[in-house]
Every structure is written in C-alpha cells, then in structure tokens.
Amino acid sequence: MIRNWWLTLALVATPLPVMAGPIAVFTQVSQQPRGTDEIPLAGLGTFAVLTTGSSGVNPVVTVAADQASASQSVVGFWPVIQFQDHAQYEAQKGTVLTVPDTPVKLYTEIHDGAYGQASSVKQVFFDATVSGQVSATPGLNRVDWRFANPTQQVTFADAVVTVSFEPKTMPDGLPQIQFTDGSPMLGGLNPPYYPTLLEARIQVSRAPNDPNGDGGGSDTGGGGPQVPEPATVVLLAGCAVGGWVMRRRTAI
C-alpha cells in the first residue's frame, strides 16, 4: 500500500509540459496611393477597377498547436468592369487596359492564439507593387505582384513566427461584368475571378518546453541559496512522509 501511495505521489509531483497554443495570421490589402484598396482604370466601359478583399477565400491562416507550418490563399485583386449595355460590351470586350506599377501595402496581424481570442497581437506591413492588364475577355487578365521583402518575422514569448507571401496564378476566368441598363451581371461574385491570389506561408518555431529547465539557461549567480522548484518541494515532502511511515512500521 505504501509503495502504491509513493508512486501516486511521484506522478502527481512530476510537472507536465504545457502545450503551446495555435498561431493565427490575418491578411488584407491595406491601401494604395489613393488611400483605398482599389486600383481604378480608364478606357474600358463606363468604369473599370481592380478591387480586393477576401470574397471566396479565407484571409485567416491558422497553425495548429501541434503543427509547425500552414499555407493557403488569403487575398487578391479581381477586375470589375461596367458597360452601358450589351452593345458596348460586345464592341469593347477585346480592349486590354494596362495596369501601371501601383504601390500597395499589405497588412498582416499575427495572433499568439486563436484568431480573435489571443491576448497578444502583432502587426506587420508588407510593401509591394502591383501591375498587369485587365480586359472583359477571359485569358487577357493578369495581376503581377512584386514585394520589396516578401518575408518577415515576429517573436512572441514562446514562438518565432515567419510570414511570407507567394503569388499564385489562377485559371482563366470571366471578370465581373456589370451593366447600367439593368441587364444581368456576367461573371461570378462569390467567388469572383482572381487572376492571381496571394498564398500566405506561415512557419512557427516554438521554444522547447523543458519543465526542469531554468527558462533559457540563466545564471543563478552561484552565491545564493538554491530554491527548489515547486514539484521538487512536493517530492521532498513525499520522501519525508514516506521515510516517517517506514520508520514507524519498523518500530511497531
């Protein structure tokens, strides 16, 4: 019976490693020089624009607690073109507009925990340049991304998070075509046609969790008394009680 009690005490006294939580990363296009997330174009229909958002894609990437990486498409520009009517559309659908080099800023939030529930959140901005071409004809649309630095890191108490982006060309599709005369819209809205999507790639390096370590090899100074860990105190107390019980049984 004493042996079983002693084993139970030793198991209770042994500290268990604490599992680190998830890392969540949210991304959106913050702005371009006009202070919006859209790039207006002229020369096609009544108006044309490259707009952005997360329609049809999830802007939040989560690296689970038991994983070291995750990736997915998070954001991109899609073309929207408006015509007066189908006659104007047929006359101009072969026109190709050039998207000039346009600086944009990508905004990223890194959550040390589940998205919307983390107590620690860090913000990172990525500077990029967007260019390409827009047309009402499938196969003639292109959005190119160039990053000044596509990779950045942030550090939390127990993790180093590396965030990087890579453009992925999507299959040809029909841009969103609208008509001011009330004709039905052409092209999808959810999801819209993205010529290119940005894929977020998240790498997480978590600090090793050593329950018997000193939190990074800090020097105790060598001169002061060594204070035992709480689990050690319990273990020493168990030794004392166990020894007292054994001595009492011997005496009886």
Side-chain angles (χ1 to χ4, degrees):
M1 178 178 179
I2 293 177
R3 181 178 300 174
N4 292 338
W5 177 86
W6 174 251
L7 179 60
T8 300
L9 178 61
L11 290 175
V12 171
T14 302
L16 298 177
V18 178
M19 178 66 72
I23 297 291
V25 178
F26 166 83
T27 302
Q28 70 177 20
V29 174
S30 174
Q31 65 180 35
Q32 46 91 15
R34 292 175 177 83
T36 73
D37 62 350
E38 295 185 338
I39 302 175
L41 303 168
L44 181 58
T46 57
F47 82 84
V49 67
L50 278 177
T51 189
T52 185
S54 57
S55 182
V57 293
N58 185 355
V60 179
V61 184
T62 299
V63 182
D66 60 348
Q67 295 179 334
S69 64
S71 64
Q72 70 183 43
S73 296
V74 290
V75 73
F77 282 97
W78 76 80
V80 179
I81 308 169
Q82 185 180 81
F83 294 95
Q84 176 65 36
D85 49 31
H86 274 270
Q88 187 185 33
Y89 166 64
E90 291 295 335
Q92 297 185 9
K93 67 179 182 181
T95 301
V96 178
L97 299 181
T98 298
V99 181
D101 286 354
T102 305
V104 299
K105 193 176 290 290
L106 209 62
Y107 169 74
T108 301
E109 286 180 355
I110 300 94
H111 296 239
D112 188 14
Y115 181 71
Q117 302 177 23
S119 59
S120 181
V121 179
K122 296 190 176 183
Q123 301 173 342
V124 176
F125 290 91
F126 292 79
D127 291 320
T129 300
V130 168
S131 61
Q133 62 184 40
V134 168
S135 173
T137 300
L140 298 180
N141 291 271
R142 191 183 79 249
V143 175
D144 301 320
W145 287 80
R146 300 192 307 276
F147 284 90
N149 180 12
T151 302
Q152 296 193 49
Q153 280 188 342
V154 299
T155 302
F156 294 104
D158 59 350
V160 176
V161 183
T162 303
V163 181
S164 62
F165 293 96
E166 183 174 340
K168 294 292 185 180
T169 301
M170 298 292 103
D172 292 337
L174 181 66
Q176 188 182 126
I177 307 296
Q178 303 174 354
F179 299 96
T180 58
D181 67 354
S183 298
M185 182 181 69
L186 303 178
L189 179 60
N190 192 20
Y193 162 57
Y194 291 94
T196 303
L197 279 171
L198 286 182
E199 182 178 270
R201 298 183 174 184
I202 316 301
Q203 298 282 337
V204 178
S205 176
R206 294 182 171 89
N209 194 347
D210 182 5
N212 297 315
D214 60 3
S218 60
D219 190 357
T220 59
Q226 301 299 309
V227 179
E229 295 289 335
T232 305
V233 173
V234 175
L235 197 59
L236 292 175
C239 290
V241 173
W244 178 83
V245 171
M246 291 298 294
R247 289 194 299 272
R248 183 174 178 81
R249 287 176 60 89
T250 302
I252 294 175

Short mmCIF file of all heavy atoms in Angstrom, two decimals, residues 55-122:
data_model
loop_
_atom_site.label_atom_id
_atom_site.label_comp_id
_atom_site.label_asym_id
_atom_site.label_seq_id
_atom_site.Cartn_x
_atom_site.Cartn_y
_atom_site.Cartn_z
N SER A 55 -13.37 37.74 -50.70
CA SER A 55 -14.52 37.01 -51.20
C SER A 55 -14.07 35.70 -51.84
O SER A 55 -13.26 35.69 -52.75
CB SER A 55 -15.28 37.86 -52.22
OG SER A 55 -16.43 37.17 -52.69
N GLY A 56 -14.60 34.60 -51.33
CA GLY A 56 -14.23 33.30 -51.88
C GLY A 56 -12.96 32.70 -51.32
O GLY A 56 -12.63 31.56 -51.64
N VAL A 57 -12.22 33.45 -50.49
CA VAL A 57 -11.02 32.92 -49.84
C VAL A 57 -11.06 33.30 -48.37
O VAL A 57 -11.74 34.24 -47.97
CB VAL A 57 -9.71 33.45 -50.49
CG1 VAL A 57 -9.56 32.92 -51.89
CG2 VAL A 57 -9.69 34.97 -50.47
N ASN A 58 -10.34 32.56 -47.57
CA ASN A 58 -10.27 32.81 -46.12
C ASN A 58 -9.00 33.60 -45.81
O ASN A 58 -7.90 33.10 -46.06
CB ASN A 58 -10.27 31.49 -45.37
CG ASN A 58 -10.33 31.67 -43.85
OD1 ASN A 58 -10.28 32.80 -43.35
ND2 ASN A 58 -10.45 30.58 -43.13
N PRO A 59 -9.12 34.83 -45.28
CA PRO A 59 -7.92 35.63 -45.02
C PRO A 59 -7.16 35.24 -43.77
O PRO A 59 -6.14 35.84 -43.45
CB PRO A 59 -8.49 37.05 -44.89
CG PRO A 59 -9.86 36.84 -44.33
CD PRO A 59 -10.36 35.57 -44.96
N VAL A 60 -7.65 34.24 -43.03
CA VAL A 60 -7.02 33.83 -41.78
C VAL A 60 -6.39 32.45 -41.94
O VAL A 60 -7.07 31.48 -42.28
CB VAL A 60 -8.02 33.80 -40.60
CG1 VAL A 60 -7.33 33.34 -39.32
CG2 VAL A 60 -8.66 35.17 -40.41
N VAL A 61 -5.08 32.38 -41.72
CA VAL A 61 -4.36 31.11 -41.71
C VAL A 61 -4.05 30.75 -40.26
O VAL A 61 -3.55 31.59 -39.51
CB VAL A 61 -3.04 31.21 -42.50
CG1 VAL A 61 -2.36 29.85 -42.56
CG2 VAL A 61 -3.28 31.74 -43.90
N THR A 62 -4.33 29.52 -39.88
CA THR A 62 -4.07 29.08 -38.50
C THR A 62 -3.09 27.92 -38.50
O THR A 62 -3.29 26.93 -39.21
CB THR A 62 -5.37 28.66 -37.80
OG1 THR A 62 -6.27 29.77 -37.75
CG2 THR A 62 -5.09 28.19 -36.37
N VAL A 63 -2.03 28.07 -37.73
CA VAL A 63 -1.09 26.98 -37.49
C VAL A 63 -1.48 26.34 -36.16
O VAL A 63 -1.37 26.97 -35.11
CB VAL A 63 0.36 27.48 -37.45
CG1 VAL A 63 1.32 26.30 -37.25
CG2 VAL A 63 0.71 28.23 -38.73
N ALA A 64 -1.95 25.12 -36.22
CA ALA A 64 -2.41 24.45 -35.00
C ALA A 64 -1.27 24.24 -34.02
O ALA A 64 -0.09 24.29 -34.38
CB ALA A 64 -3.05 23.10 -35.37
N ALA A 65 -1.64 24.00 -32.76
CA ALA A 65 -0.64 23.87 -31.70
C ALA A 65 0.33 22.72 -31.95
O ALA A 65 1.48 22.77 -31.53
CB ALA A 65 -1.35 23.67 -30.36
N ASP A 66 -0.14 21.68 -32.65
CA ASP A 66 0.73 20.52 -32.91
C ASP A 66 1.35 20.55 -34.30
O ASP A 66 1.84 19.54 -34.79
CB ASP A 66 -0.06 19.22 -32.72
CG ASP A 66 -1.26 19.13 -33.65
OD1 ASP A 66 -1.61 20.16 -34.28
OD2 ASP A 66 -1.87 18.04 -33.75
N GLN A 67 1.34 21.73 -34.96
CA GLN A 67 1.92 21.86 -36.28
C GLN A 67 2.98 22.95 -36.29
O GLN A 67 3.01 23.81 -35.42
CB GLN A 67 0.85 22.18 -37.33
CG GLN A 67 -0.18 21.07 -37.52
CD GLN A 67 -1.24 21.46 -38.55
OE1 GLN A 67 -1.51 22.62 -38.75
NE2 GLN A 67 -1.85 20.45 -39.17
N ALA A 68 3.86 22.92 -37.29
CA ALA A 68 4.93 23.91 -37.41
C ALA A 68 4.73 24.84 -38.61
O ALA A 68 5.46 25.81 -38.74
CB ALA A 68 6.29 23.22 -37.52
N SER A 69 3.74 24.55 -39.47
CA SER A 69 3.55 25.39 -40.64
C SER A 69 2.14 25.23 -41.18
O SER A 69 1.44 24.25 -40.88
CB SER A 69 4.57 25.05 -41.74
OG SER A 69 4.37 23.73 -42.20
N ALA A 70 1.73 26.20 -41.99
CA ALA A 70 0.45 26.15 -42.70
C ALA A 70 0.50 27.16 -43.83
O ALA A 70 1.27 28.13 -43.79
CB ALA A 70 -0.71 26.46 -41.76
N SER A 71 -0.29 26.93 -44.88
CA SER A 71 -0.34 27.86 -46.01
C SER A 71 -1.70 27.78 -46.66
O SER A 71 -2.36 26.73 -46.64
CB SER A 71 0.77 27.55 -47.02
OG SER A 71 0.58 26.27 -47.59
N GLN A 72 -2.13 28.91 -47.25
CA GLN A 72 -3.37 28.96 -48.01
C GLN A 72 -3.46 30.30 -48.74
O GLN A 72 -2.77 31.26 -48.39
CB GLN A 72 -4.59 28.77 -47.11
CG GLN A 72 -4.88 29.94 -46.20
CD GLN A 72 -6.05 29.69 -45.26
OE1 GLN A 72 -6.18 28.61 -44.70
NE2 GLN A 72 -6.90 30.69 -45.08
N SER A 73 -4.32 30.38 -49.74
CA SER A 73 -4.58 31.63 -50.44
C SER A 73 -5.41 32.53 -49.54
O SER A 73 -6.38 32.08 -48.92
CB SER A 73 -5.31 31.37 -51.75
OG SER A 73 -4.52 30.61 -52.63
N VAL A 74 -5.04 33.82 -49.46
CA VAL A 74 -5.68 34.70 -48.49
C VAL A 74 -6.29 35.96 -49.10
O VAL A 74 -7.28 36.48 -48.57
CB VAL A 74 -4.70 35.10 -47.38
CG1 VAL A 74 -4.36 33.91 -46.49
CG2 VAL A 74 -3.43 35.73 -47.95
N VAL A 75 -5.74 36.48 -50.19
CA VAL A 75 -6.23 37.75 -50.71
C VAL A 75 -5.75 37.95 -52.15
O VAL A 75 -4.76 37.34 -52.57
CB VAL A 75 -5.75 38.92 -49.82
CG1 VAL A 75 -4.27 39.19 -50.02
CG2 VAL A 75 -6.57 40.19 -50.06
N GLY A 76 -6.45 38.80 -52.87
CA GLY A 76 -6.04 39.12 -54.24
C GLY A 76 -6.93 40.20 -54.83
O GLY A 76 -7.96 40.56 -54.26
N PHE A 77 -6.52 40.72 -55.98
CA PHE A 77 -7.32 41.69 -56.72
C PHE A 77 -8.18 40.97 -57.76
O PHE A 77 -7.73 40.00 -58.36
CB PHE A 77 -6.43 42.70 -57.45
CG PHE A 77 -5.86 43.76 -56.56
CD1 PHE A 77 -4.58 43.63 -56.03
CD2 PHE A 77 -6.59 44.90 -56.26
CE1 PHE A 77 -4.04 44.62 -55.22
CE2 PHE A 77 -6.06 45.90 -55.45
CZ PHE A 77 -4.79 45.76 -54.93
N TRP A 78 -9.42 41.44 -57.95
CA TRP A 78 -10.22 40.93 -59.06
C TRP A 78 -10.78 42.10 -59.87
O TRP A 78 -11.07 43.17 -59.34
CB TRP A 78 -11.33 40.00 -58.58
CG TRP A 78 -12.53 40.62 -57.93
CD1 TRP A 78 -13.58 41.21 -58.57
CD2 TRP A 78 -12.82 40.68 -56.54
NE1 TRP A 78 -14.52 41.64 -57.67
CE2 TRP A 78 -14.08 41.32 -56.40
CE3 TRP A 78 -12.16 40.25 -55.39
CZ2 TRP A 78 -14.67 41.55 -55.17
CZ3 TRP A 78 -12.75 40.48 -54.16
CH2 TRP A 78 -13.98 41.12 -54.05
N PRO A 79 -10.92 41.92 -61.20
CA PRO A 79 -11.39 43.02 -62.06
C PRO A 79 -12.91 43.12 -62.08
O PRO A 79 -13.61 42.10 -62.13
CB PRO A 79 -10.84 42.64 -63.44
CG PRO A 79 -10.58 41.18 -63.38
CD PRO A 79 -10.43 40.78 -61.96
N VAL A 80 -13.40 44.36 -62.02
CA VAL A 80 -14.82 44.67 -62.18
C VAL A 80 -14.93 45.70 -63.30
O VAL A 80 -14.26 46.73 -63.26
CB VAL A 80 -15.43 45.25 -60.88
CG1 VAL A 80 -16.91 45.59 -61.11
CG2 VAL A 80 -15.29 44.26 -59.74
N ILE A 81 -15.76 45.41 -64.31
CA ILE A 81 -15.92 46.29 -65.46
C ILE A 81 -17.41 46.56 -65.65
O ILE A 81 -18.23 45.63 -65.62
CB ILE A 81 -15.33 45.67 -66.74
CG1 ILE A 81 -13.88 45.21 -66.50
CG2 ILE A 81 -15.40 46.66 -67.90
CD1 ILE A 81 -13.31 44.36 -67.62
N GLN A 82 -17.76 47.82 -65.86
CA GLN A 82 -19.15 48.18 -66.09
C GLN A 82 -19.33 48.73 -67.50
O GLN A 82 -18.55 49.57 -67.96
CB GLN A 82 -19.62 49.23 -65.07
CG GLN A 82 -21.11 49.56 -65.18
CD GLN A 82 -21.53 50.59 -64.16
OE1 GLN A 82 -21.32 51.79 -64.35
NE2 GLN A 82 -22.09 50.13 -63.05
N PHE A 83 -20.38 48.26 -68.18
CA PHE A 83 -20.74 48.74 -69.52
C PHE A 83 -22.15 49.34 -69.47
O PHE A 83 -22.96 48.99 -68.61
CB PHE A 83 -20.69 47.60 -70.53
CG PHE A 83 -19.31 47.04 -70.76
CD1 PHE A 83 -18.87 45.92 -70.07
CD2 PHE A 83 -18.45 47.64 -71.67
CE1 PHE A 83 -17.60 45.41 -70.27
CE2 PHE A 83 -17.18 47.13 -71.89
CZ PHE A 83 -16.75 46.01 -71.18
N GLN A 84 -22.42 50.19 -70.45
CA GLN A 84 -23.76 50.77 -70.54
C GLN A 84 -24.78 49.69 -70.90
O GLN A 84 -25.84 49.61 -70.30
CB GLN A 84 -23.77 51.88 -71.61
CG GLN A 84 -25.15 52.50 -71.85
CD GLN A 84 -25.69 53.22 -70.64
OE1 GLN A 84 -24.92 53.86 -69.91
NE2 GLN A 84 -27.00 53.12 -70.40
N ASP A 85 -24.42 48.84 -71.85
CA ASP A 85 -25.34 47.78 -72.29
C ASP A 85 -24.52 46.70 -73.01
O ASP A 85 -23.28 46.80 -73.09
CB ASP A 85 -26.43 48.34 -73.21
CG ASP A 85 -25.86 49.22 -74.33
OD1 ASP A 85 -24.71 48.96 -74.78
OD2 ASP A 85 -26.53 50.18 -74.74
N HIS A 86 -25.21 45.70 -73.53
CA HIS A 86 -24.51 44.60 -74.18
C HIS A 86 -23.86 45.05 -75.49
O HIS A 86 -22.84 44.47 -75.90
CB HIS A 86 -25.48 43.44 -74.44
CG HIS A 86 -25.61 42.51 -73.28
ND1 HIS A 86 -24.80 41.41 -73.10
CD2 HIS A 86 -26.45 42.54 -72.21
CE1 HIS A 86 -25.14 40.77 -71.98
NE2 HIS A 86 -26.14 41.44 -71.42
N ALA A 87 -24.42 46.05 -76.13
CA ALA A 87 -23.81 46.54 -77.37
C ALA A 87 -22.43 47.12 -77.10
O ALA A 87 -21.47 46.85 -77.85
CB ALA A 87 -24.73 47.60 -78.01
N GLN A 88 -22.29 47.90 -76.04
CA GLN A 88 -20.97 48.45 -75.69
C GLN A 88 -20.03 47.33 -75.26
O GLN A 88 -18.83 47.36 -75.58
CB GLN A 88 -21.11 49.49 -74.58
CG GLN A 88 -19.80 50.22 -74.28
CD GLN A 88 -19.90 51.17 -73.11
OE1 GLN A 88 -20.64 50.92 -72.16
NE2 GLN A 88 -19.13 52.26 -73.16
N TYR A 89 -20.56 46.37 -74.55
CA TYR A 89 -19.74 45.23 -74.12
C TYR A 89 -19.17 44.47 -75.31
O TYR A 89 -17.97 44.17 -75.36
CB TYR A 89 -20.60 44.30 -73.24
CG TYR A 89 -20.02 42.93 -72.99
CD1 TYR A 89 -18.82 42.77 -72.29
CD2 TYR A 89 -20.66 41.79 -73.45
CE1 TYR A 89 -18.29 41.50 -72.06
CE2 TYR A 89 -20.14 40.52 -73.23
CZ TYR A 89 -18.96 40.39 -72.54
OH TYR A 89 -18.43 39.14 -72.30
N GLU A 90 -20.01 44.18 -76.30
CA GLU A 90 -19.54 43.45 -77.48
C GLU A 90 -18.51 44.25 -78.26
O GLU A 90 -17.55 43.71 -78.80
CB GLU A 90 -20.72 43.09 -78.38
CG GLU A 90 -21.68 42.06 -77.80
CD GLU A 90 -21.03 40.70 -77.61
OE1 GLU A 90 -20.05 40.40 -78.34
OE2 GLU A 90 -21.50 39.92 -76.75
N ALA A 91 -18.69 45.58 -78.28
CA ALA A 91 -17.78 46.43 -79.05
C ALA A 91 -16.42 46.58 -78.38
O ALA A 91 -15.40 46.78 -79.06
CB ALA A 91 -18.41 47.81 -79.26
N GLN A 92 -16.37 46.47 -77.05
CA GLN A 92 -15.13 46.77 -76.33
C GLN A 92 -14.52 45.57 -75.59
O GLN A 92 -13.48 45.73 -74.95
CB GLN A 92 -15.38 47.90 -75.30
CG GLN A 92 -15.80 49.22 -75.91
CD GLN A 92 -15.90 50.31 -74.86
OE1 GLN A 92 -15.51 50.14 -73.70
NE2 GLN A 92 -16.42 51.46 -75.27
N LYS A 93 -15.14 44.42 -75.70
CA LYS A 93 -14.67 43.32 -74.85
C LYS A 93 -13.27 42.83 -75.21
O LYS A 93 -12.61 42.15 -74.42
CB LYS A 93 -15.65 42.15 -74.84
CG LYS A 93 -15.80 41.42 -76.16
CD LYS A 93 -16.79 40.27 -75.99
CE LYS A 93 -16.94 39.45 -77.27
NZ LYS A 93 -17.93 38.36 -77.08
N GLY A 94 -12.77 43.20 -76.40
CA GLY A 94 -11.41 42.82 -76.76
C GLY A 94 -10.36 43.83 -76.34
O GLY A 94 -9.15 43.59 -76.49
N THR A 95 -10.81 44.98 -75.77
CA THR A 95 -9.88 46.02 -75.34
C THR A 95 -9.08 45.54 -74.13
O THR A 95 -9.62 44.91 -73.22
CB THR A 95 -10.64 47.31 -74.97
OG1 THR A 95 -11.37 47.75 -76.12
CG2 THR A 95 -9.68 48.40 -74.51
N VAL A 96 -7.81 45.85 -74.11
CA VAL A 96 -6.93 45.48 -72.99
C VAL A 96 -6.38 46.74 -72.35
O VAL A 96 -5.77 47.58 -73.03
CB VAL A 96 -5.77 44.57 -73.46
CG1 VAL A 96 -4.86 44.24 -72.28
CG2 VAL A 96 -6.32 43.29 -74.10
N LEU A 97 -6.61 46.90 -71.03
CA LEU A 97 -6.08 48.03 -70.28
C LEU A 97 -4.81 47.62 -69.56
O LEU A 97 -4.73 46.51 -69.01
CB LEU A 97 -7.09 48.54 -69.25
CG LEU A 97 -8.43 49.05 -69.77
CD1 LEU A 97 -9.29 49.52 -68.60
CD2 LEU A 97 -8.23 50.17 -70.78
N THR A 98 -3.84 48.51 -69.56
CA THR A 98 -2.60 48.25 -68.82
C THR A 98 -2.73 48.77 -67.40
O THR A 98 -3.14 49.92 -67.19
CB THR A 98 -1.41 48.92 -69.51
OG1 THR A 98 -1.25 48.36 -70.82
CG2 THR A 98 -0.12 48.71 -68.71
N VAL A 99 -2.40 47.92 -66.44
CA VAL A 99 -2.36 48.35 -65.03
C VAL A 99 -0.94 48.84 -64.76
O VAL A 99 0.01 48.05 -64.77
CB VAL A 99 -2.71 47.19 -64.08
CG1 VAL A 99 -2.68 47.66 -62.63
CG2 VAL A 99 -4.08 46.61 -64.44
N PRO A 100 -0.77 50.14 -64.54
CA PRO A 100 0.59 50.65 -64.29
C PRO A 100 1.12 50.18 -62.95
O PRO A 100 0.36 49.72 -62.09
CB PRO A 100 0.40 52.17 -64.31
CG PRO A 100 -1.02 52.36 -63.86
CD PRO A 100 -1.79 51.20 -64.42
N ASP A 101 2.43 50.28 -62.78
CA ASP A 101 3.03 49.93 -61.48
C ASP A 101 2.35 50.75 -60.39
O ASP A 101 2.39 51.99 -60.41
CB ASP A 101 4.53 50.21 -61.48
CG ASP A 101 5.31 49.19 -62.30
OD1 ASP A 101 4.69 48.21 -62.76
OD2 ASP A 101 6.52 49.38 -62.48
N THR A 102 1.72 50.06 -59.45
CA THR A 102 0.98 50.73 -58.38
C THR A 102 1.46 50.19 -57.04
O THR A 102 1.31 49.00 -56.76
CB THR A 102 -0.54 50.47 -58.52
OG1 THR A 102 -0.96 50.87 -59.82
CG2 THR A 102 -1.32 51.23 -57.47
N PRO A 103 2.03 51.07 -56.19
CA PRO A 103 2.45 50.59 -54.86
C PRO A 103 1.24 50.32 -53.97
O PRO A 103 0.29 51.10 -53.94
CB PRO A 103 3.29 51.76 -54.32
CG PRO A 103 2.82 52.95 -55.06
CD PRO A 103 2.37 52.48 -56.41
N VAL A 104 1.28 49.19 -53.30
CA VAL A 104 0.22 48.82 -52.35
C VAL A 104 0.88 48.37 -51.06
O VAL A 104 2.07 48.02 -51.02
CB VAL A 104 -0.69 47.70 -52.90
CG1 VAL A 104 -1.38 48.13 -54.17
CG2 VAL A 104 0.10 46.43 -53.13
N LYS A 105 0.09 48.39 -50.01
CA LYS A 105 0.58 47.98 -48.70
C LYS A 105 -0.29 46.84 -48.18
O LYS A 105 -1.51 46.95 -48.12
CB LYS A 105 0.56 49.16 -47.71
CG LYS A 105 1.36 48.90 -46.43
CD LYS A 105 1.37 50.15 -45.56
CE LYS A 105 2.21 51.25 -46.18
NZ LYS A 105 3.67 50.93 -46.13
N LEU A 106 0.37 45.75 -47.85
CA LEU A 106 -0.32 44.58 -47.32
C LEU A 106 -0.24 44.62 -45.79
O LEU A 106 0.83 44.83 -45.22
CB LEU A 106 0.36 43.31 -47.85
CG LEU A 106 -0.49 42.05 -48.01
CD1 LEU A 106 -1.59 42.26 -49.00
CD2 LEU A 106 0.41 40.89 -48.44
N TYR A 107 -1.41 44.44 -45.15
CA TYR A 107 -1.49 44.50 -43.69
C TYR A 107 -1.70 43.09 -43.14
O TYR A 107 -2.58 42.36 -43.60
CB TYR A 107 -2.65 45.40 -43.28
CG TYR A 107 -3.02 45.34 -41.82
CD1 TYR A 107 -2.22 45.94 -40.86
CD2 TYR A 107 -4.19 44.69 -41.40
CE1 TYR A 107 -2.57 45.90 -39.52
CE2 TYR A 107 -4.54 44.64 -40.07
CZ TYR A 107 -3.73 45.25 -39.13
OH TYR A 107 -4.08 45.21 -37.80
N THR A 108 -0.88 42.74 -42.15
CA THR A 108 -0.96 41.40 -41.55
C THR A 108 -1.00 41.50 -40.04
O THR A 108 -0.24 42.25 -39.43
CB THR A 108 0.26 40.55 -41.98
OG1 THR A 108 0.29 40.45 -43.40
CG2 THR A 108 0.18 39.16 -41.39
N GLU A 109 -1.91 40.75 -39.44
CA GLU A 109 -1.98 40.61 -37.98
C GLU A 109 -1.55 39.20 -37.61
O GLU A 109 -2.05 38.22 -38.18
CB GLU A 109 -3.40 40.82 -37.47
CG GLU A 109 -3.89 42.25 -37.47
CD GLU A 109 -5.30 42.37 -36.94
OE1 GLU A 109 -5.94 41.32 -36.67
OE2 GLU A 109 -5.77 43.51 -36.80
N ILE A 110 -0.65 39.08 -36.65
CA ILE A 110 -0.22 37.78 -36.15
C ILE A 110 -0.74 37.63 -34.73
O ILE A 110 -0.38 38.43 -33.85
CB ILE A 110 1.31 37.60 -36.20
CG1 ILE A 110 1.82 37.74 -37.65
CG2 ILE A 110 1.72 36.24 -35.66
CD1 ILE A 110 2.27 39.12 -38.02
N HIS A 111 -1.59 36.65 -34.50
CA HIS A 111 -2.22 36.42 -33.20
C HIS A 111 -1.54 35.25 -32.50
O HIS A 111 -1.44 34.16 -33.06
CB HIS A 111 -3.71 36.10 -33.38
CG HIS A 111 -4.50 37.23 -33.95
ND1 HIS A 111 -5.57 37.79 -33.29
CD2 HIS A 111 -4.39 37.91 -35.12
CE1 HIS A 111 -6.09 38.75 -34.03
NE2 HIS A 111 -5.39 38.85 -35.15
N ASP A 112 -1.08 35.50 -31.28
CA ASP A 112 -0.49 34.43 -30.47
C ASP A 112 -1.61 33.67 -29.77
O ASP A 112 -1.83 33.77 -28.57
CB ASP A 112 0.49 35.02 -29.45
CG ASP A 112 1.28 33.93 -28.73
OD1 ASP A 112 1.27 32.77 -29.19
OD2 ASP A 112 1.90 34.23 -27.69
N GLY A 113 -2.36 32.93 -30.57
CA GLY A 113 -3.54 32.22 -30.09
C GLY A 113 -4.56 32.14 -31.20
O GLY A 113 -4.29 32.51 -32.35
N ALA A 114 -5.75 31.68 -30.88
CA ALA A 114 -6.81 31.60 -31.89
C ALA A 114 -7.21 33.01 -32.34
O ALA A 114 -7.16 33.96 -31.56
CB ALA A 114 -8.02 30.87 -31.30
N TYR A 115 -7.62 33.13 -33.59
CA TYR A 115 -7.98 34.44 -34.14
C TYR A 115 -9.15 35.05 -33.37
O TYR A 115 -10.17 34.41 -33.15
CB TYR A 115 -8.35 34.31 -35.62
CG TYR A 115 -8.71 35.62 -36.26
CD1 TYR A 115 -7.73 36.57 -36.52
CD2 TYR A 115 -10.02 35.92 -36.60
CE1 TYR A 115 -8.04 37.78 -37.12
CE2 TYR A 115 -10.34 37.13 -37.19
CZ TYR A 115 -9.35 38.06 -37.44
OH TYR A 115 -9.67 39.26 -38.02
N GLY A 116 -8.96 36.28 -32.92
CA GLY A 116 -9.99 36.97 -32.15
C GLY A 116 -10.00 36.63 -30.68
O GLY A 116 -10.78 37.22 -29.93
N GLN A 117 -9.15 35.71 -30.24
CA GLN A 117 -9.14 35.30 -28.83
C GLN A 117 -7.77 35.46 -28.19
O GLN A 117 -7.61 35.24 -26.99
CB GLN A 117 -9.59 33.84 -28.70
CG GLN A 117 -10.97 33.57 -29.27
CD GLN A 117 -11.34 32.11 -29.19
OE1 GLN A 117 -10.81 31.35 -28.37
NE2 GLN A 117 -12.26 31.66 -30.05
N ALA A 118 -6.77 35.86 -28.98
CA ALA A 118 -5.41 35.96 -28.45
C ALA A 118 -5.23 37.23 -27.62
O ALA A 118 -5.80 38.28 -27.93
CB ALA A 118 -4.40 35.93 -29.59
N SER A 119 -4.44 37.13 -26.58
CA SER A 119 -4.14 38.29 -25.74
C SER A 119 -2.98 39.11 -26.30
O SER A 119 -2.81 40.27 -25.95
CB SER A 119 -3.80 37.84 -24.31
OG SER A 119 -2.69 36.96 -24.32
N SER A 120 -2.20 38.51 -27.21
CA SER A 120 -1.07 39.21 -27.81
C SER A 120 -1.20 39.18 -29.33
O SER A 120 -1.31 38.11 -29.93
CB SER A 120 0.26 38.55 -27.38
OG SER A 120 1.36 39.24 -27.93
N VAL A 121 -1.22 40.38 -29.94
CA VAL A 121 -1.36 40.50 -31.39
C VAL A 121 -0.31 41.48 -31.90
O VAL A 121 -0.14 42.57 -31.34
CB VAL A 121 -2.77 41.01 -31.79
CG1 VAL A 121 -2.87 41.16 -33.30
CG2 VAL A 121 -3.84 40.08 -31.26
N LYS A 122 0.40 41.10 -32.96
CA LYS A 122 1.41 41.98 -33.56
C LYS A 122 1.02 42.29 -35.00
O LYS A 122 0.43 41.45 -35.69
CB LYS A 122 2.80 41.36 -33.48
CG LYS A 122 3.27 41.17 -32.04
CD LYS A 122 4.73 40.79 -31.95
CE LYS A 122 5.19 40.73 -30.48
NZ LYS A 122 6.63 40.42 -30.35
#
